[in-house]
Amino acid sequence: MMDGGDRVTSALDALYLVRRRLMHAEAEGETCDVAVSAVPDVFDVPFGGLWLYDSELLLPQGERGVLSIASKDADTVSQDERQVARVLSANIESALAIVKRIVEAHGWGIRAGDSVDRGASFGIFGQTRSVTPFQTESQR
């Protein structure tokens, strides 16, 4: 296991390599791909994301994450849509809290992985059969 100093040195080494790759990127998409793929190496975390936008609404999901609604067009999200997004956010936060309580009460765990159609998928493990409760209709 690395101590704090080794971890910082490793992160700085990874950051140096990322900077070199970023300087050679020839398109916006390539730059974003380089940046996002570097997050696990630089920060020792499993996920990272980068969104380019002109208009964004960020809604915290308790301790679990953030709901992001964004557009490349400035001022695309109206006040009415912001209110609807807040209601959606509150419902998501409540659902995540319920799932967390059920999972913890049964001694199960939640595992994140790659989705078949972009993004992440989440599954519950530690029970007799696997369940993926956060699938969209298109994933079922």
Side-chain angles (χ1 to χ4, degrees), residues 63-89:
E63 297 175 2
R64 303 294 301 170
V66 175
L67 173 62
S68 172
I69 300 170
S71 172
K72 287 190 174 191
D73 299 321
D75 302 321
T76 300
V77 184
S78 71
Q79 288 299 345
D80 289 341
E81 290 171 322
R82 289 174 187 273
Q83 187 57 38
V84 170
R86 286 183 189 97
V87 172
L88 172 62
S89 175

mmCIF file of all heavy atoms in Angstrom, residues 63-89:
data_model
loop_
_atom_site.group_PDB
_atom_site.id
_atom_site.type_symbol
_atom_site.label_atom_id
_atom_site.label_comp_id
_atom_site.label_asym_id
_atom_site.label_seq_id
_atom_site.Cartn_x
_atom_site.Cartn_y
_atom_site.Cartn_z
ATOM 1 N N GLU A 63 -25.731 12.097 -0.352
ATOM 2 C CA GLU A 63 -24.315 11.720 -0.336
ATOM 3 C C GLU A 63 -23.953 10.843 -1.525
ATOM 4 O O GLU A 63 -22.828 10.390 -1.649
ATOM 5 C CB GLU A 63 -24.007 10.965 0.958
ATOM 6 C CG GLU A 63 -24.210 11.800 2.198
ATOM 7 C CD GLU A 63 -24.019 10.982 3.467
ATOM 8 O OE1 GLU A 63 -23.687 9.781 3.381
ATOM 9 O OE2 GLU A 63 -24.202 11.551 4.540
ATOM 10 N N ARG A 64 -24.909 10.576 -2.412
ATOM 11 C CA ARG A 64 -24.705 9.607 -3.490
ATOM 12 C C ARG A 64 -24.170 10.200 -4.780
ATOM 13 O O ARG A 64 -23.584 9.519 -5.582
ATOM 14 C CB ARG A 64 -26.014 8.866 -3.797
ATOM 15 C CG ARG A 64 -26.623 8.144 -2.628
ATOM 16 C CD ARG A 64 -25.802 7.015 -2.133
ATOM 17 N NE ARG A 64 -25.594 6.033 -3.175
ATOM 18 C CZ ARG A 64 -24.749 5.028 -3.090
ATOM 19 N NH1 ARG A 64 -24.027 4.887 -2.013
ATOM 20 N NH2 ARG A 64 -24.610 4.174 -4.059
ATOM 21 N N GLY A 65 -24.424 11.479 -5.067
ATOM 22 C CA GLY A 65 -23.959 12.021 -6.332
ATOM 23 C C GLY A 65 -24.665 13.309 -6.698
ATOM 24 O O GLY A 65 -25.193 14.009 -5.839
ATOM 25 N N VAL A 66 -24.699 13.583 -7.998
ATOM 26 C CA VAL A 66 -25.273 14.823 -8.505
ATOM 27 C C VAL A 66 -26.029 14.516 -9.795
ATOM 28 O O VAL A 66 -25.535 13.790 -10.654
ATOM 29 C CB VAL A 66 -24.166 15.860 -8.820
ATOM 30 C CG1 VAL A 66 -24.743 17.114 -9.459
ATOM 31 C CG2 VAL A 66 -23.397 16.213 -7.568
ATOM 32 N N LEU A 67 -27.224 15.053 -9.926
ATOM 33 C CA LEU A 67 -27.967 15.000 -11.179
ATOM 34 C C LEU A 67 -27.580 16.237 -11.973
ATOM 35 O O LEU A 67 -27.664 17.354 -11.477
ATOM 36 C CB LEU A 67 -29.478 14.994 -10.926
ATOM 37 C CG LEU A 67 -30.376 15.109 -12.169
ATOM 38 C CD1 LEU A 67 -30.177 13.920 -13.105
ATOM 39 C CD2 LEU A 67 -31.832 15.239 -11.759
ATOM 40 N N SER A 68 -27.129 16.037 -13.210
ATOM 41 C CA SER A 68 -26.684 17.138 -14.056
ATOM 42 C C SER A 68 -27.585 17.213 -15.276
ATOM 43 O O SER A 68 -27.766 16.228 -15.983
ATOM 44 C CB SER A 68 -25.231 16.896 -14.488
ATOM 45 O OG SER A 68 -24.844 17.850 -15.449
ATOM 46 N N ILE A 69 -28.134 18.388 -15.512
ATOM 47 C CA ILE A 69 -28.946 18.641 -16.703
ATOM 48 C C ILE A 69 -28.269 19.793 -17.420
ATOM 49 O O ILE A 69 -28.116 20.874 -16.855
ATOM 50 C CB ILE A 69 -30.394 18.991 -16.325
ATOM 51 C CG1 ILE A 69 -31.025 17.834 -15.552
ATOM 52 C CG2 ILE A 69 -31.206 19.345 -17.569
ATOM 53 C CD1 ILE A 69 -32.359 18.150 -14.935
ATOM 54 N N ALA A 70 -27.830 19.540 -18.654
ATOM 55 C CA ALA A 70 -27.017 20.547 -19.331
ATOM 56 C C ALA A 70 -27.382 20.650 -20.804
ATOM 57 O O ALA A 70 -27.964 19.753 -21.384
ATOM 58 C CB ALA A 70 -25.543 20.192 -19.188
ATOM 59 N N SER A 71 -27.007 21.776 -21.377
ATOM 60 C CA SER A 71 -27.226 22.023 -22.797
ATOM 61 C C SER A 71 -26.059 22.838 -23.340
ATOM 62 O O SER A 71 -25.454 23.620 -22.617
ATOM 63 C CB SER A 71 -28.530 22.797 -22.991
ATOM 64 O OG SER A 71 -28.665 23.204 -24.341
ATOM 65 N N LYS A 72 -25.784 22.670 -24.612
ATOM 66 C CA LYS A 72 -24.750 23.487 -25.251
ATOM 67 C C LYS A 72 -25.299 24.864 -25.615
ATOM 68 O O LYS A 72 -24.547 25.751 -25.968
ATOM 69 C CB LYS A 72 -24.213 22.791 -26.496
ATOM 70 C CG LYS A 72 -23.330 21.617 -26.163
ATOM 71 C CD LYS A 72 -22.638 21.102 -27.388
ATOM 72 C CE LYS A 72 -21.651 20.023 -26.998
ATOM 73 N NZ LYS A 72 -20.775 19.661 -28.092
ATOM 74 N N ASP A 73 -26.611 25.042 -25.545
ATOM 75 C CA ASP A 73 -27.230 26.335 -25.820
ATOM 76 C C ASP A 73 -27.497 27.063 -24.505
ATOM 77 O O ASP A 73 -28.128 26.520 -23.606
ATOM 78 C CB ASP A 73 -28.551 26.155 -26.566
ATOM 79 C CG ASP A 73 -28.366 25.465 -27.902
ATOM 80 O OD1 ASP A 73 -27.363 25.764 -28.578
ATOM 81 O OD2 ASP A 73 -29.211 24.626 -28.252
ATOM 82 N N ALA A 74 -27.013 28.275 -24.387
ATOM 83 C CA ALA A 74 -27.193 29.064 -23.165
ATOM 84 C C ALA A 74 -28.676 29.296 -22.893
ATOM 85 O O ALA A 74 -29.480 29.453 -23.805
ATOM 86 C CB ALA A 74 -26.463 30.396 -23.291
ATOM 87 N N ASP A 75 -29.019 29.294 -21.632
ATOM 88 C CA ASP A 75 -30.384 29.580 -21.169
ATOM 89 C C ASP A 75 -31.434 28.652 -21.751
ATOM 90 O O ASP A 75 -32.582 29.033 -21.950
ATOM 91 C CB ASP A 75 -30.755 31.037 -21.470
ATOM 92 C CG ASP A 75 -29.796 32.012 -20.814
ATOM 93 O OD1 ASP A 75 -29.394 31.742 -19.667
ATOM 94 O OD2 ASP A 75 -29.448 33.011 -21.455
ATOM 95 N N THR A 76 -31.071 27.394 -22.021
ATOM 96 C CA THR A 76 -32.020 26.428 -22.562
ATOM 97 C C THR A 76 -32.986 25.925 -21.499
ATOM 98 O O THR A 76 -34.130 25.637 -21.785
ATOM 99 C CB THR A 76 -31.263 25.238 -23.188
ATOM 100 O OG1 THR A 76 -30.447 25.744 -24.227
ATOM 101 C CG2 THR A 76 -32.200 24.203 -23.746
ATOM 102 N N VAL A 77 -32.532 25.814 -20.265
ATOM 103 C CA VAL A 77 -33.352 25.271 -19.191
ATOM 104 C C VAL A 77 -34.172 26.405 -18.585
ATOM 105 O O VAL A 77 -33.648 27.288 -17.920
ATOM 106 C CB VAL A 77 -32.473 24.586 -18.117
ATOM 107 C CG1 VAL A 77 -33.342 23.951 -17.052
ATOM 108 C CG2 VAL A 77 -31.562 23.542 -18.756
ATOM 109 N N SER A 78 -35.487 26.358 -18.833
ATOM 110 C CA SER A 78 -36.381 27.416 -18.345
ATOM 111 C C SER A 78 -36.613 27.274 -16.838
ATOM 112 O O SER A 78 -36.293 26.240 -16.238
ATOM 113 C CB SER A 78 -37.718 27.343 -19.073
ATOM 114 O OG SER A 78 -38.443 26.193 -18.649
ATOM 115 N N GLN A 79 -37.219 28.280 -16.240
ATOM 116 C CA GLN A 79 -37.539 28.231 -14.805
ATOM 117 C C GLN A 79 -38.512 27.094 -14.508
ATOM 118 O O GLN A 79 -38.375 26.412 -13.492
ATOM 119 C CB GLN A 79 -38.113 29.577 -14.337
ATOM 120 C CG GLN A 79 -37.086 30.677 -14.254
ATOM 121 C CD GLN A 79 -35.971 30.372 -13.255
ATOM 122 O OE1 GLN A 79 -36.048 29.491 -12.406
ATOM 123 N NE2 GLN A 79 -34.878 31.109 -13.370
ATOM 124 N N ASP A 80 -39.491 26.870 -15.379
ATOM 125 C CA ASP A 80 -40.437 25.763 -15.186
ATOM 126 C C ASP A 80 -39.707 24.417 -15.234
ATOM 127 O O ASP A 80 -39.961 23.529 -14.421
ATOM 128 C CB ASP A 80 -41.536 25.791 -16.244
ATOM 129 C CG ASP A 80 -42.507 26.952 -16.048
ATOM 130 O OD1 ASP A 80 -42.562 27.505 -14.926
ATOM 131 O OD2 ASP A 80 -43.205 27.294 -17.020
ATOM 132 N N GLU A 81 -38.796 24.286 -16.194
ATOM 133 C CA GLU A 81 -38.026 23.045 -16.296
ATOM 134 C C GLU A 81 -37.112 22.859 -15.094
ATOM 135 O O GLU A 81 -36.905 21.739 -14.632
ATOM 136 C CB GLU A 81 -37.205 23.039 -17.585
ATOM 137 C CG GLU A 81 -38.062 22.900 -18.827
ATOM 138 C CD GLU A 81 -37.296 23.116 -20.115
ATOM 139 O OE1 GLU A 81 -36.412 24.010 -20.133
ATOM 140 O OE2 GLU A 81 -37.584 22.398 -21.082
ATOM 141 N N ARG A 82 -36.600 23.946 -14.557
ATOM 142 C CA ARG A 82 -35.767 23.852 -13.354
ATOM 143 C C ARG A 82 -36.594 23.320 -12.183
ATOM 144 O O ARG A 82 -36.103 22.511 -11.395
ATOM 145 C CB ARG A 82 -35.165 25.209 -13.001
ATOM 146 C CG ARG A 82 -34.090 25.650 -13.957
ATOM 147 C CD ARG A 82 -33.608 27.092 -13.654
ATOM 148 N NE ARG A 82 -32.699 27.554 -14.663
ATOM 149 C CZ ARG A 82 -31.386 27.338 -14.647
ATOM 150 N NH1 ARG A 82 -30.850 26.679 -13.651
ATOM 151 N NH2 ARG A 82 -30.629 27.789 -15.632
ATOM 152 N N GLN A 83 -37.833 23.771 -12.072
ATOM 153 C CA GLN A 83 -38.696 23.284 -10.995
ATOM 154 C C GLN A 83 -39.004 21.802 -11.169
ATOM 155 O O GLN A 83 -38.962 21.032 -10.216
ATOM 156 C CB GLN A 83 -39.995 24.099 -10.930
ATOM 157 C CG GLN A 83 -40.854 23.771 -9.733
ATOM 158 C CD GLN A 83 -40.127 23.964 -8.409
ATOM 159 O OE1 GLN A 83 -39.348 24.890 -8.229
ATOM 160 N NE2 GLN A 83 -40.362 23.067 -7.466
ATOM 161 N N VAL A 84 -39.293 21.391 -12.399
ATOM 162 C CA VAL A 84 -39.536 19.973 -12.680
ATOM 163 C C VAL A 84 -38.278 19.162 -12.355
ATOM 164 O O VAL A 84 -38.360 18.073 -11.764
ATOM 165 C CB VAL A 84 -39.966 19.766 -14.156
ATOM 166 C CG1 VAL A 84 -39.981 18.302 -14.528
ATOM 167 C CG2 VAL A 84 -41.320 20.406 -14.404
ATOM 168 N N ALA A 85 -37.109 19.686 -12.698
ATOM 169 C CA ALA A 85 -35.850 19.006 -12.403
ATOM 170 C C ALA A 85 -35.652 18.858 -10.897
ATOM 171 O O ALA A 85 -35.160 17.821 -10.441
ATOM 172 C CB ALA A 85 -34.678 19.768 -13.027
ATOM 173 N N ARG A 86 -36.030 19.862 -10.128
ATOM 174 C CA ARG A 86 -35.904 19.772 -8.662
ATOM 175 C C ARG A 86 -36.813 18.683 -8.100
ATOM 176 O O ARG A 86 -36.434 17.957 -7.185
ATOM 177 C CB ARG A 86 -36.201 21.122 -8.024
ATOM 178 C CG ARG A 86 -35.082 22.126 -8.227
ATOM 179 C CD ARG A 86 -35.352 23.458 -7.507
ATOM 180 N NE ARG A 86 -34.367 24.435 -7.900
ATOM 181 C CZ ARG A 86 -34.544 25.357 -8.847
ATOM 182 N NH1 ARG A 86 -35.695 25.447 -9.489
ATOM 183 N NH2 ARG A 86 -33.573 26.198 -9.143
ATOM 184 N N VAL A 87 -38.023 18.562 -8.660
ATOM 185 C CA VAL A 87 -38.942 17.501 -8.226
ATOM 186 C C VAL A 87 -38.353 16.139 -8.586
ATOM 187 O O VAL A 87 -38.362 15.208 -7.768
ATOM 188 C CB VAL A 87 -40.344 17.695 -8.849
ATOM 189 C CG1 VAL A 87 -41.237 16.492 -8.573
ATOM 190 C CG2 VAL A 87 -40.984 18.971 -8.319
ATOM 191 N N LEU A 88 -37.862 15.995 -9.827
ATOM 192 C CA LEU A 88 -37.224 14.750 -10.240
ATOM 193 C C LEU A 88 -36.051 14.429 -9.317
ATOM 194 O O LEU A 88 -35.903 13.296 -8.850
ATOM 195 C CB LEU A 88 -36.733 14.857 -11.689
ATOM 196 C CG LEU A 88 -35.887 13.694 -12.199
ATOM 197 C CD1 LEU A 88 -36.675 12.393 -12.181
ATOM 198 C CD2 LEU A 88 -35.354 14.007 -13.589
ATOM 199 N N SER A 89 -35.226 15.417 -9.033
ATOM 200 C CA SER A 89 -34.071 15.234 -8.167
ATOM 201 C C SER A 89 -34.482 14.745 -6.782
ATOM 202 O O SER A 89 -33.872 13.826 -6.232
ATOM 203 C CB SER A 89 -33.297 16.544 -8.060
ATOM 204 O OG SER A 89 -32.239 16.428 -7.142
#
